[in-house]
């Protein structure tokens, strides 16, 4: 119970920090949203009126207080560019980003653990290195490049999957593979290290000495212990993944939140930027808290404490 | 482990076969055409938008009283005929009978009046307000006659009325939603050949045929707009057959697509052009000889032939050939010796240092600046390049007084959305205290006089002479910019697609398009 | 230390990675000398040339030699990565040390700030920084540095915490040694190994991150060649002149991969538990 309360307090304070940070950043960016919204052919009067309509003529602290008090009630304002409430703009796009992120994580865990296990089981340095190198190549390639190459090969030349868009589950396959490969490398690295370490532990050796098969040893003892750092890593990486979907979303034309926020920064659509960051940050913090709790459940040391 | 490998292999084979077997050829015209836009529409309110991505959807949903045809000639639309009184300010439009909005409400003169009341309402403050500055009042004479009175004789009145922002929206729906009109699928209603069926933000806009349309019916049941922001992905999607039509194609890909058998590439002369403007309040650009020198120092031919050949033609004046009022003043030759001589005469025999501001928003924007800098270096001018992100760039063009604007030479893409000399020259070169439209503070007394006279001139012959004079001044005698090239609007489609209508305004419409 | 060296020397992939890194660092340092052409010389008439003996990797859209630009680009990209990583390491390590030493409220506040940074979508933060500072090497460095601060801060805090309570630290404290002295003398050295390994890996992610910025239209200013910018430019040429598009991609992948392998090797070699 104490842990839950602590987590909740952490959530609130981090979110407050995020609100301050995003507000400051948004207002430090040069560029007047009213000017951009009005378009290049507009008159100064039009611009001035838009500025007044948006409340941008108010002092900054006033704007901040208004932003926070509204946000608490679930009102994130209205998009400058489209005139639609930010909440509904985000609601429409969030599922796509969540699917990509979850799919990416799922595939990453699968690939990562498989690669890590292959490396750990064979215990030959070269197998280990080759497997790690292969996953590393994916991690070491810029994601948009990997995405375009994947599209070129699998959508155009082999015609296995659709190139862009989100119509069917098949549409998500290539983007998820790209995201999964990218993060899978890191998961592989962590799970390999964790597996190696537990395999050296006394009780594993003892079990092996008792004649328990290597597969069972891994399944019974090593895998469970290796999961802890993997969960921690996912907690750390979730921010990168959620926000990192932006490049993949752009290439595959997926209407997600990452792309929305980047477009919003470029158009100086402040309410969209603030709202988007706040929602994404909330997700990130919630996942962080969850992974902490799961981690606490998995780790006997934390459980005992 | 082995089992797993087998499973994976089997899966791969299944997927591969499934993919291969799916390529059945459809018979007859398809009921859906998919267009890959570069971005989603921001709004479907014609009175409140300034971006092409929105405009090209708007052009399918709504219509203007009079319109442009493919050659930018004025043709009847919702009005079957119109005339102007001898006073030059009273315009009468006779509306077509039997036209209905998408929801069935009849279209009449009162609807027109309410539309202009809406777009010109200073309190509602729509973005296109300024375009209709010259209109004094709009009256519904009877159900099928509209009278519009301008404050002064205005030479470019017809092209302004043909502009997409003069489109007639369903007044009842517009008044119901106010500012929110056009923000969602159920908040847009016009008289156009297609109506909106659904709009998922950043994902797709689906239009369906308006069966009650007064004119020639659309040939395809549904038109889908799918925004694909990444240019390389747009091209891939076209080649993979996932979309039927694309625009905004990377220049290197245009040449390649032209050779692809299954792809058709169309290039349309447009109102668009690419130029680099001088801030004439900054030394040494206060000196006309320096500006002329830079103009002669640029090898436009080399740029057009090598860098942008697939979508550009060398400039022959400050307007493009398809615009009303255009005068062919010829290409400016590449003459580095003349440039050096002019620089010497201006007191810069060894050149000087300057900065070129550009933005990747324009096709090849950064590369053009680099090519410019390389040419300038040959006549002794050292130009550093500032690549500026679009959102920041427009703040330099937002009505700053000269002392607050550090830019020296900057890229500018011009394209008057009325395809007329007035809108293409007057706002951007007439003397003004700030750079709200005249981004480079260009100021020339004779130009101001001529352009003002041309605007009020309704005699076509005299008007043309005045515009020719204005163009000579700004292009050759007292250059306000380095004009590089006129852009061609390029659209690529699958070979099975017919009847796509690219507009010289840089938009594409599908009123009569079909996929065979 | 010599034991670690011996371990590293027997790690073939790490050595190979070291060789690749050395090769690119050499290219970066000697770019002006070894480049066959002037990497900035524009010649429009000979653009998009295929590979040939004079132009090993062909020419780009402005007729510049791609190979020469790749060499010069190594300098720009590696400098960005190095400076950004060092800056992030310095700030992050300082924060981590302070947090571990002072504990309590200070620790809470610092880790709170780190949490905020970790929860902020990193690419968006980078775009914002680029928009605020204007495009260029400097803003790319700042953006990359900010995104690496939390990693280093957490790492150092974790390593330092285990030492702060150790007998010898308590003893020096009792003997009246200053906090700075203890931290620099006793605590920081305990963090060298993980910092070195993480730093090497961050070098690689910095290059990737910078290239992502270029993809979004931000990043360094021309005419400076930077790999990310070259690759991002090249994606439009992927089909028509693939060599110019693939070359910077291979360079990026190779260097980032090498940094990762080297980081892994260092981790293994320096880890006293193995």
């Amino acid at each position: 119970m104490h842990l839950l309360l602590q987590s909740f307090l952490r959530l609130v304070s981090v979110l407050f920090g995020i609100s301050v940070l995003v507000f400051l950043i948004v207002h430090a960016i040069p560029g007047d949203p009213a000017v951009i919204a009005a378009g290049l052919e507009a008159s100064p009067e039009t611009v001035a009126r838009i500025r007044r309509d948006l409340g941008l003529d108010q002092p900054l602290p006033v704007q901040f207080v208004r932003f926070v008090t509204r946000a608490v009630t679930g009102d994130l304002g209205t998009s400058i560019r489209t005139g639609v409430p930010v909440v509904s703009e985000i609601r429409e796009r969030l599922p796509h980003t969540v699917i990509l992120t979850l799919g990416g994580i799922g595939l990453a865990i699968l690939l990562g653990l498989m690669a890590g296990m292959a490396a750990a089981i064979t215990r030959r340095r070269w197998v280990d290195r080759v497997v790690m190198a292969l996953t590393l190549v994916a991690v070491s390639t810029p994601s948009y490049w990997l995405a375009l190459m994947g599209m070129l090969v699998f959508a155009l030349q082999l015609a296995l999957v659709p190139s862009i868009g989100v119509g069917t589950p098949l549409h998500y396959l290539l983007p998820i593979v790209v995201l999964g490969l990218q993060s899978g490398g890191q998961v592989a690295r962590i799970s390999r290290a964790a597996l190696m370490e537990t395999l050296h532990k006394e009780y594993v050796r003892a079990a092996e000495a008792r004649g328990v098969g290597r597969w069972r040893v891994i399944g019974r003892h090593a895998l469970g212990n290796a999961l802890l750092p993997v969960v921690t890593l996912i907690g750390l990486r979730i921010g990168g993944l959620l926000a990192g979907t932006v490049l993949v979303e752009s290439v595959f034309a997926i209407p997600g939140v990452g792309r929305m926020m980047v477009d919003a920064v470029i158009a100086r659509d402040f309410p969209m930027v603030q709202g988007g960051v706040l929602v994404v940050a909330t997700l990130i913090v919630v996942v962080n808290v969850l992974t902490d709790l799961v981690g606490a459940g998995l780790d006997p040391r934390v459980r005992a404490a | 482990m082995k089992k797993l490998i087998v499973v994976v292999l089997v899966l791969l084979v299944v997927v591969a076969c499934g993919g291969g077997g799916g390529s059945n050829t459809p018979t007859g015209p398809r009921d859906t055409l998919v267009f890959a836009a570069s971005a989603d529409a921001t709004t479907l309110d014609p009175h409140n938008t300034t971006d092409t991505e929105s405009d090209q959807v708007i052009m399918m949903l709504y219509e203007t009283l009079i319109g442009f045809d493919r050659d930018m000639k004025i043709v009847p639309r919702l009005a079957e005929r119109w005339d102007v009184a001898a006073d030059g300010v009273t315009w009468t439009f006779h509306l077509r009978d039997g036209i209905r909005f998408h929801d069935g409400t009849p279209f009449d003169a009162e609807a027109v009046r309410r539309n202009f009341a809406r777009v010109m309402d200073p309190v509602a403050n729509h973005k296109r307000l300024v375009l209709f500055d010259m209109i004094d009042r709009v009256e519904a004479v009877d159900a099928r006659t509209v009278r519009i009175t301008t404050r002064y004789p205005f030479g470019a009145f017809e092209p302004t009325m043909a502009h997409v922002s003069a489109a007639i929206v369903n007044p009842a729906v517009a008044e119901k939603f106010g500012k929110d009109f056009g923000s969602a699928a159920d908040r847009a209603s016009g008289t156009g050949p297609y109506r909106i069926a659904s709009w998922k933000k950043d994902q797709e806009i689906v239009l369906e045929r308006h069966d009650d349309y007064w004119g020639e019916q659309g040939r395809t049941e549904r038109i889908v707009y799918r925004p694909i922001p990444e240019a390389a992905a747009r091209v891939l999607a076209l080649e993979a057959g996932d979309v039927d039509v694309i625009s905004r194609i990377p220049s290197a890909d245009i040449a390649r697509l032209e050779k692809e058998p299954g792809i058709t590439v169309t290039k349309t002369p447009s109102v668009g052009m690419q130029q680099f403007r001088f801030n004439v309040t900054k030394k040494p650009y206060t000196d006309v000889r320096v500006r002329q020198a830079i103009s002669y120092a640029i090898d436009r031919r080399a740029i057009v032939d090598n860098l942008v050949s697939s979508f550009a033609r060398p400039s022959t004046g400050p307007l493009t050939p398809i615009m009303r009022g255009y005068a062919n003043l010829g290409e400016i030759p590449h003459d580095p010796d003349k440039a050096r001589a002019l620089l010497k005469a201006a007191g810069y025999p060894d050149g000087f240092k300057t900065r070129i501001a550009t933005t990747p928003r324009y096709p090849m924007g950064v590369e053009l600046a680099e090519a410019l800098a390389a040419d300038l270096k040959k006549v002794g001018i050292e130009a550093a390049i500032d690549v500026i992100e679009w959102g920041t760039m427009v703040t330099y063009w937002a009505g700053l007084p000269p002392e607050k604007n550090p830019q020296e030479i900057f890229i500018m893409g011009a394209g008057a959305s009325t395809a007329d000399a007035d809108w293409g020259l007057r706002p951007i070169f007439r003397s003004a205290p700030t750079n709200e439209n005249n981004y480079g503070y260009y100021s020339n007394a004779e130009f101001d006089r001529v352009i003002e006279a041309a605007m009020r001139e309704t005699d076509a012959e005299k008007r043309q002479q005045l515009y020719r004079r204005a163009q000579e001044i700004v292009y050759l005698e007292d250059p306000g910019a380095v004009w590089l090239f006129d852009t061609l609007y390029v659209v690529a489609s699958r070979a099975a697609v017919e009847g796509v209508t690219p507009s010289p305004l840089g938009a594409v419409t599908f009123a009569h398009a079909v996929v065979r | 230390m010599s034991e670690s060296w011996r371990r590293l020397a027997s790690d073939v992939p790490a050595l190979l990675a070291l060789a690749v890194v050395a090769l690119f660092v050499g290219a970066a340092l000697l770019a002006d000398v070894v480049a066959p052409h002037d990497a900035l010389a524009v010649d429009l008439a000979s653009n998009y040339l295929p590979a040939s003996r004079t132009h090993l990797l062909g020419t780009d859209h402005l007729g510049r030699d791609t190979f020469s630009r790749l060499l010069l680009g190594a300098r720009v990209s590696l400098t960005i990565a190095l400076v950004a990583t060092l800056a992030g390491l310095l700030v992050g390590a300082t924060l981590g040390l302070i947090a571990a030493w002072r504990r309590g409220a200070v620790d809470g506040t610092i880790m709170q700030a780190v949490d905020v940074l970790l929860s902020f979508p990193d690419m968006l933060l980078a775009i914002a920084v680029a928009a605020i500072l204007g495009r260029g090497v400097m803003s790319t460095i700042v953006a990359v540095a900010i995104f690496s601060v939390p990693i280093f801060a957490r790492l150092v805090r974790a390593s330092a915490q285990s030492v702060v309570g150790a007998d010898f630290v308590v003893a020096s404290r009792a003997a009246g040694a200053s906090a700075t002295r203890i931290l620099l003398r006793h605590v920081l050295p305990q963090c060298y190994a993980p910092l070195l390994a993480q730093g090497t890996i961050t070098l690689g992610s910095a290059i990737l991150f910078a290239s992502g910025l270029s993809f979004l239209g931000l990043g360094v200013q021309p005419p400076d060649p930077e790999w990310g910018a070259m690759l991002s430019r090249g994606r439009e040429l992927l089909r028509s002149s693939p060599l110019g598009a693939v070359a910077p991609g291979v360079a990026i992948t190779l260097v980032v991969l090498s940094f990762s392998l080297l980081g892994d090797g260092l981790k293994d070699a320096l880890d006293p538990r193995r």
Side-chain angles (χ1 to χ4, degrees):
Chain A
M1 202 55 225
H2 179 63
L3 199 58
L4 277 179
L5 186 70
Q6 222 173 8
S7 305
F8 179 73
L9 284 179
R10 179 172 152 214
L11 183 88
V12 172
S13 60
V14 169
L15 282 183
F16 183 75
I18 292 272
S19 326
V20 176
L21 188 61
V22 71
F23 187 82
L24 289 179
I25 285 177
V26 149
H27 285 88
I29 296 177
D32 185 338
V35 169
I36 297 170
L40 280 182
E41 292 175 347
S43 72
E45 293 79 39
T46 310
V47 173
R49 263 186 245 111
I50 291 179
R51 192 173 295 134
R52 206 162 49 239
D53 289 353
L54 297 173
L56 293 172
D57 52 346
Q58 302 283 321
L60 281 190
V62 176
Q63 290 189 45
F64 180 70
V65 169
R66 204 179 46 178
F67 163 58
V68 171
T69 46
R70 277 184 179 175
V72 169
T73 64
D75 175 8
L76 294 174
T78 306
S79 161
I80 296 176
R81 211 154 51 105
T82 63
V84 173
V86 172
V87 172
S88 66
E89 293 271 11
I90 293 174
R91 196 188 300 132
E92 211 170 318
R93 292 172 171 90
L94 197 57
H96 301 293
T97 304
V98 169
I99 290 175
L100 281 191
T101 310
L102 289 183
I105 290 177
L107 188 70
I109 294 175
L110 199 72
L111 285 178
L113 283 181
M114 271 166 48
M117 277 164 63
I121 290 162
T122 55
R123 289 216 197 144
R124 292 208 182 93
R125 268 182 100 70
W126 69 268
V127 178
D128 174 3
R129 291 297 189 187
V130 166
V131 173
M132 293 316 290
L134 282 179
T135 49
L136 274 176
V137 169
V139 189
S140 309
T141 309
S143 60
Y144 65 88
W145 193 243
L146 204 62
L148 276 175
M149 288 294 194
M151 201 189 280
L152 184 63
V153 173
F154 295 102
L156 185 63
Q157 279 160 4
L158 300 177
L160 291 176
V161 287
S163 56
I164 50 97
V166 289
T168 65
L170 205 58
H171 278 96
Y172 291 101
L173 188 62
L174 204 49
I176 283 179
V177 168
V178 169
L179 274 178
L181 278 177
Q182 288 243 296
S183 322
Q186 272 168 317
V187 176
R189 187 196 297 240
I190 293 286
S191 53
R192 162 188 166 271
L195 276 170
M196 297 285 212
E197 197 168 315
T198 41
L199 285 173
H200 281 95
K201 289 239 164 82
E202 293 291 321
Y203 64 92
V204 176
R205 291 201 176 153
E208 253 182 296
R210 281 202 311 271
V212 181
R214 184 171 283 180
W215 277 99
R216 280 194 61 175
V217 172
I218 288 175
R220 273 281 174 79
H221 306 287
L223 213 52
N225 281 331
L227 270 179
L228 174 64
V230 173
V231 167
T232 313
L233 177 75
I234 288 168
L236 280 176
R237 283 286 306 157
I238 187 79
L241 258 164
L242 258 177
T245 54
V246 50
L247 299 180
V248 174
E249 282 172 4
S250 289
V251 174
F252 289 106
I254 291 167
V257 175
R259 191 176 134 201
M260 181 200 86
M261 288 194 293
V262 171
D263 287 348
V265 175
I266 288 165
R268 306 289 188 267
D269 193 342
F270 292 171
M272 286 278 259
V273 179
Q274 290 170 342
V277 168
L278 214 54
V279 169
V280 169
T282 309
L283 283 177
I284 293 172
V285 178
V286 167
V287 172
N288 271 324
V289 167
L290 281 180
T291 50
D292 277 4
L293 292 177
V294 171
L298 280 176
D299 190 343
R301 280 168 301 174
V302 179
R303 238 180 324 191
Chain B
M1 199 66 203
K2 267 180 198 152
K3 266 186 209 159
L4 197 75
I5 293 171
V6 172
V7 169
V8 168
L9 280 178
V10 168
L11 272 179
L12 274 178
V13 171
V14 168
V15 171
C17 294
S23 59
N24 53 328
T25 41
T27 48
R30 282 221 321 260
D31 58 1
T32 305
L33 180 149
V34 183
F35 169 64
S38 59
D40 198 7
T42 55
T43 173
L44 298 178
D45 180 351
H47 304 157
N48 208 17
T49 167
T50 50
D51 65 298
T52 319
E53 282 73 25
S54 302
D55 280 349
Q56 58 195 7
V57 184
I58 284 171
M59 287 154 113
M60 298 284 285
L61 299 174
Y62 313 92
E63 291 167 297
T64 41
L65 296 181
I66 52 178
F68 296 115
D69 70 1
R70 282 189 81 150
D71 307 312
M72 298 314 278
K73 297 259 178 333
I74 304 283
V75 292
R77 283 276 162 79
L78 294 173
E80 52 191 354
R81 63 201 160 79
W82 66 100
D83 48 64
V84 57
D87 61 7
V89 297
T90 313
W91 294 79
T92 311
F93 292 87
H94 302 277
L95 309 182
R96 237 177 261 273
D97 200 12
I99 296 179
R100 287 179 182 279
F101 287 106
H102 295 152
D103 64 357
T105 344
F107 158 81
D108 58 12
E110 181 57 19
V112 177
R113 191 196 61 77
R114 279 157 81 186
N115 261 271
F116 281 95
R118 178 173 191 266
V119 67
M120 291 164 63
D121 178 1
V123 180
N125 188 29
H126 293 107
K127 286 176 193 164
R128 286 306 194 173
L129 176 66
V130 63
L131 199 62
F132 301 99
D133 209 25
M134 70 293 169
I135 293 183
D136 182 34
R137 58 184 185 275
V138 179
E139 300 150 284
V141 180
D142 60 44
R144 287 178 55 203
T145 315
V146 175
R147 189 186 301 135
I148 301 181
T149 318
T150 59
R151 293 195 277 114
Y152 42 84
F154 184 60
F157 183 71
E158 284 174 316
T160 306
M161 290 302 288
H163 189 275
V164 61
S165 59
I168 305 300
V169 306
N170 188 335
V173 182
E175 282 155 22
K176 181 176 165 201
F177 290 107
K179 270 276 193 199
D180 293 335
F181 179 74
S183 63
D186 57 353
R187 294 172 181 183
S189 174
T191 61
Y194 281 81
R195 64 162 82 210
I196 184 154
S198 69
W199 183 3
K200 293 187 190 127
K201 289 288 164 71
D202 276 354
Q203 184 179 337
E204 61 176 22
I205 295 179
V206 179
L207 306 186
E208 59 189 22
R209 189 166 49 207
H210 172 35
D211 289 323
D212 219 9
Y213 184 57
W214 61 272
E216 192 192 329
Q217 287 283 320
R219 292 159 77 189
T220 304
E221 209 176 303
R222 276 184 302 276
I223 311 282
V224 177
Y225 292 75
R226 193 158 288 158
I228 306 180
E230 169 57 25
R234 267 200 304 281
V235 176
L236 276 168
L238 178 78
E239 291 182 82
D242 290 324
V243 301
D244 302 305
V245 184
I246 62 171
S247 69
R248 306 215 174 186
I249 307 160
S251 64
D253 274 322
I254 296 175
R256 189 176 56 81
L257 287 176
E258 280 180 300
K259 295 187 202 106
E260 294 276 321
I263 307 278
T264 315
V265 176
T266 25
K267 299 180 179 180
T268 313
S270 82
V271 299
M273 61 190 110
Q274 199 68 67
Q275 54 192 270
F276 280 85
R277 276 194 70 168
F278 301 109
N279 179 347
V280 299
T281 63
K282 281 265 181 294
K283 271 198 157 192
Y285 304 110
T286 45
D287 191 325
V288 59
R289 288 167 299 190
V290 172
R291 282 180 267 140
Q292 285 172 334
I294 287 182
S295 200
Y296 285 119
I298 307 303
D299 190 352
R300 291 174 185 70
R301 270 283 160 188
I303 291 175
V304 171
D305 289 350
N306 298 299
L307 198 54
V308 291
S309 60
S310 51
F311 68 94
R313 297 279 173 273
S315 288
T316 51
L319 299 176
T320 71
I322 63 143
M323 294 173 75
R324 255 172 309 277
Y326 160 80
N328 185 348
L329 303 176
E331 290 175 35
I332 292 177
H334 177 220
D335 193 343
D337 292 334
K338 198 165 174 179
R340 281 186 210 101
L342 281 162
L343 282 177
K344 199 172 173 191
Y348 297 96
D350 304 319
F352 53 89
K353 281 194 161 76
T354 189
R355 309 193 73 85
I356 302 177
T358 187
T359 161
R361 171 94 160 202
Y362 294 118
M364 287 281 179
V366 178
E367 290 75 13
L368 288 171
E370 294 187 77
L372 223 62
D375 278 343
L376 291 183
K377 199 172 178 183
K378 289 176 192 148
V379 297
I381 302 174
E382 289 287 341
I385 296 168
D386 297 315
V387 180
I388 299 174
E389 186 240 343
W390 181 250
T392 309
M393 192 72 162
V394 294
T395 59
Y396 288 109
W397 300 343
L400 294 181
E403 63 274 13
K404 283 193 178 164
N405 189 342
Q407 295 196 336
E408 297 180 3
I409 299 180
F410 55 92
I411 194 170
M412 190 179 115
S417 45
T418 58
D420 187 88
D422 176 64
W423 200 244
L425 293 171
R426 184 168 53 94
I428 61 178
F429 290 113
R430 188 177 56 176
S431 306
T434 71
N435 71 341
E436 73 176 84
N437 281 310
N438 181 354
Y439 306 149
Y441 310 96
Y442 183 80
S443 180
N444 178 301
E446 190 193 351
F447 178 88
D448 290 351
R449 223 168 29 247
V450 173
I451 205 79
E452 199 72 24
M455 179 180 88
R456 287 164 196 274
E457 183 58 68
T458 45
D459 180 274
E461 187 70 24
K462 284 188 197 144
R463 193 169 178 258
Q464 181 63 35
Q465 273 169 13
L466 287 167
Y467 278 131
R468 184 181 180 90
R469 180 66 201 129
Q471 289 172 68
E472 283 167 359
I473 297 168
V474 75
Y475 186 64
L476 304 166
E477 292 168 21
D478 184 13
V482 173
W483 278 268
L484 292 181
F485 53 81
D486 302 340
T487 48
L488 301 173
Y489 180 57
V490 183
V491 170
S493 51
R494 309 278 312 166
V497 178
E498 283 172 18
V500 170
T501 329
S503 146
L505 298 176
V508 58
T509 51
F510 307 95
H512 308 298
V514 67
V515 189
R516 291 243 169 258
Chain C
M1 205 65 198
S2 65
E3 174 68 10
S4 305
W5 272 118
R6 219 162 39 78
R7 267 198 291 256
L8 190 65
S10 65
D11 185 345
V12 179
L15 285 182
L16 277 177
L18 189 62
V20 172
V21 169
L23 193 72
F24 275 103
V25 170
L29 292 175
L30 302 173
D32 307 306
V33 189
V34 282
H37 297 271
D38 177 356
L40 304 180
V42 171
D43 177 15
L44 283 176
S46 53
N47 63 351
Y48 300 133
L49 286 182
S52 67
R53 202 164 293 172
T54 36
H55 296 288
L56 286 176
L57 295 172
T59 59
D60 70 357
H61 46 277
L62 292 173
R64 299 174 297 201
D65 182 51
T66 303
F67 182 64
S68 306
R69 288 183 71 71
L70 211 58
L71 292 179
L72 196 60
R75 177 182 298 175
V76 181
S77 292
L78 291 177
T79 306
I80 290 176
L82 192 67
V83 177
T85 304
L86 284 179
L89 194 150
L90 211 65
V91 177
T94 311
L95 288 177
L97 277 182
I98 296 175
W101 182 251
R102 299 289 302 271
R103 306 191 206 177
V106 177
D107 183 21
T109 314
I110 289 178
M111 291 329 282
Q112 166 86 29
V114 167
D115 272 354
V116 167
L117 269 187
L118 266 182
S119 313
F120 205 98
D122 48 11
M123 201 39 107
L124 204 70
L125 194 65
I127 296 168
V129 169
I132 293 170
L133 300 181
R135 274 178 57 135
V137 172
M138 200 53 209
S139 71
T140 309
I141 288 176
V142 171
V144 177
I146 290 179
F147 119 100
S148 63
V149 163
I151 307 169
F152 288 120
R154 284 194 163 201
L155 198 67
V156 168
R157 177 173 171 267
S159 306
Q161 269 177 339
S162 60
V163 193
V164 167
D167 291 345
F168 67 96
V169 173
V170 177
S172 345
R173 229 174 168 173
S178 76
T180 325
R181 192 183 151 85
I182 297 174
L183 283 175
L184 293 182
R185 269 286 173 82
H186 301 298
V187 182
L188 192 59
Q190 297 299 315
C191 313
Y192 282 159
L195 270 184
L196 189 59
Q198 181 57 46
T200 315
I201 293 165
T202 303
L203 281 174
S205 17
I207 293 179
L208 280 184
F209 202 72
S211 103
L213 272 181
S214 288
F215 171 83
L216 292 171
L218 306 155
V220 303
Q221 296 277 11
D224 286 345
E226 186 259 337
W227 289 346
M230 289 174 75
L231 184 65
S232 153
R233 182 69 249 172
R235 74 186 190 268
E236 293 184 352
L237 305 172
L238 184 54
R239 315 289 304 287
S240 44
S241 106
L243 198 58
V246 170
V250 171
I252 290 178
T253 307
L254 211 57
V255 165
V256 177
L257 183 66
S258 302
F259 277 134
S260 301
L261 286 175
L262 197 56
D264 277 355
L266 285 171
K267 211 185 275 175
D268 286 354
L270 295 172
D271 192 338
R273 281 172 300 177
R274 293 256 178 84

